[in-house]
Amino acid sequence: MVLLIIRGDSYEKIKNAIADVHRHAKLTILGKPRIMVPEAADEILEHIVGNIKKPCKKACLVRIEENAPRAIDRIRKIHPPAHIVIVSERHEPYFYLLEDLPKMPLLKGYYKSKSLDSDDEIEESH
């Protein structure tokens, strides 16, 4: 399992990116996406890749089932409408994020696609 930090200008773009990750990259989303503090997302990104050019306005945290190499390969191919950072257990913030995940508010309005996972629950909308 790895974590995806999805950074964007709006929650609509972030929800579209999550849908792309699920539908087009065919990655398995576990649980419900959570809203992150944008400054925290930027700080983690800086920790992982170094300097960032532009701070984000909105951010979200998503758990996926697949491992980091597979996630990286598949996400590279889809060009989602938001910036996605893959955080694995190799990265120091991983375990802190896992610990904080249940405390983060749910991203409202995101529904999993029924086309790939027929037995998935519909995600909470409000």
Side-chain angles (χ1 to χ4, degrees):
M1 175 183 70
V2 296
L3 300 172
L4 304 180
I5 295 176
I6 304 176
R7 304 165 63 247
D9 293 332
S10 70
Y11 288 124
E12 289 309 310
K13 286 183 180 180
I14 288 174
K15 286 186 264 188
N16 286 336
I18 296 169
D20 287 352
V21 163
H22 183 66
R23 280 188 224 125
H24 303 300
K26 294 180 176 54
L27 296 174
T28 309
I29 295 172
L30 301 172
K32 300 175 185 198
R34 302 291 182 143
I35 295 172
M36 279 188 80
V37 175
E39 294 81 10
D42 289 343
E43 188 177 310
I44 291 167
L45 175 61
E46 229 173 291
H47 177 78
I48 292 172
V49 299
N51 272 350
I52 57 171
K53 294 178 183 175
K54 181 181 168 191
C56 68
K57 294 178 183 171
K58 307 288 182 192
C60 174
L61 187 64
V62 178
R63 290 183 310 136
I64 61 167
E65 187 175 288
E66 289 76 12
N67 62 27
R70 176 173 288 161
I72 291 166
D73 183 52
R74 290 183 181 179
I75 289 171
R76 269 193 189 142
K77 293 176 182 174
I78 64 168
H79 307 291
H83 187 246
I84 298 177
V85 181
I86 295 169
V87 183
S88 71
E89 61 276 349
R90 287 183 25 198
H91 301 105
E92 185 182 331
Y94 178 81
F95 295 101
Y96 297 111
L97 287 170
L98 272 183
E99 190 177 300
D100 288 344
L101 186 71
K103 302 171 200 161
M104 295 177 186
L106 294 174
L107 177 65
K108 296 178 182 173
Y110 172 72
Y111 295 91
K112 279 187 185 174
S113 169
K114 291 292 186 180
S115 62
L116 292 178
D117 299 319
S118 59
D119 57 0
D120 279 343
E121 290 179 26
I122 292 181
E123 298 297 332
E124 188 171 319
S125 65
H126 295 289

